[in-house]
Amino acid sequence: MSSTAQPPVPTPPSGRVRTRVLVGVAAGVAVVAVAAGIVTAGRGGGDGGPDRGGAAGTAAASTAAATGRTPAAANSSSSASGAISPGTSPATSPATTAPATVVVPALVGKNAAAARIELEQLGFRDVRFGSQEAGEPDVVLPQNWTVTRQSAAAGTRLATTTQIVLTCARRV
């Protein structure tokens, strides 16, 4: 009778290793949760302040509990002298800035992929392609197409948030 070697059976991690892994995962989750709260707070949150019971109110209440101050004092960004504390911003709303405007280049006759890159380098993020070919309604690989028409005339000054549509013909 021949004996065949059995592969060794892996042993489960010890309790200490498992605890370290769980602590590491919990710390990672906590970091992500804090980062998400900071991003949400930086964008205004949209979930209400301390008087409306939203996440911003919960954060203010948590800060107040940790520092021993009232929620209004914990939420305040100025000291008793009226100066703004470092790392905080005044209670004014942020100024809304208009999107940047740039001059649209002449793209007719250019390779569609190169035209997209040129527009994106100028700051346009919404560049779309359309086909003038009856049998091919979609431009799948822009590098195989040539721009025949552009939705914004060359030389026009547009906001970079404007959608630009490039109509293309298949290169032969």
Side-chain angles (χ1 to χ4, degrees):
M1 192 188 278
S2 67
S3 69
T4 58
Q6 295 290 327
V9 177
T11 58
S14 69
R16 180 172 283 184
V17 171
R18 187 178 314 150
T19 301
R20 284 185 180 175
V21 170
L22 290 175
V23 167
V25 170
V29 169
V31 167
V32 170
V34 168
I38 290 170
V39 169
T40 303
R43 292 184 177 167
D47 55 2
D51 56 329
R52 286 181 248 167
T58 305
S62 299
T63 304
T67 60
R69 296 187 292 173
T70 64
N75 230 6
S76 173
S77 62
S78 55
S79 64
S81 66
I84 296 174
S85 302
T88 60
S89 61
T92 60
S93 62
T96 307
T97 58
T101 60
V102 294
V103 176
V104 178
L107 301 169
V108 174
K110 292 188 177 185
N111 177 279
R116 174 195 287 165
I117 291 169
E118 189 173 341
L119 288 170
E120 288 176 347
Q121 286 176 344
L122 289 172
F124 290 101
R125 295 291 172 245
D126 193 2
V127 180
R128 310 259 174 129
F129 296 107
S131 170
Q132 72 176 27
E133 307 288 330
E136 296 184 65
D138 298 321
V139 176
V140 177
L141 296 172
Q143 62 268 27
N144 296 333
W145 296 73
T146 302
V147 177
T148 58
R149 193 171 45 231
Q150 57 191 77
S151 63
T156 306
R157 181 170 285 278
L158 290 176
T160 55
T161 56
T162 304
Q163 180 185 74
I164 306 288
V165 179
L166 303 174
T167 303
C168 304
R170 186 116 163 105
R171 282 192 331 195
V172 181

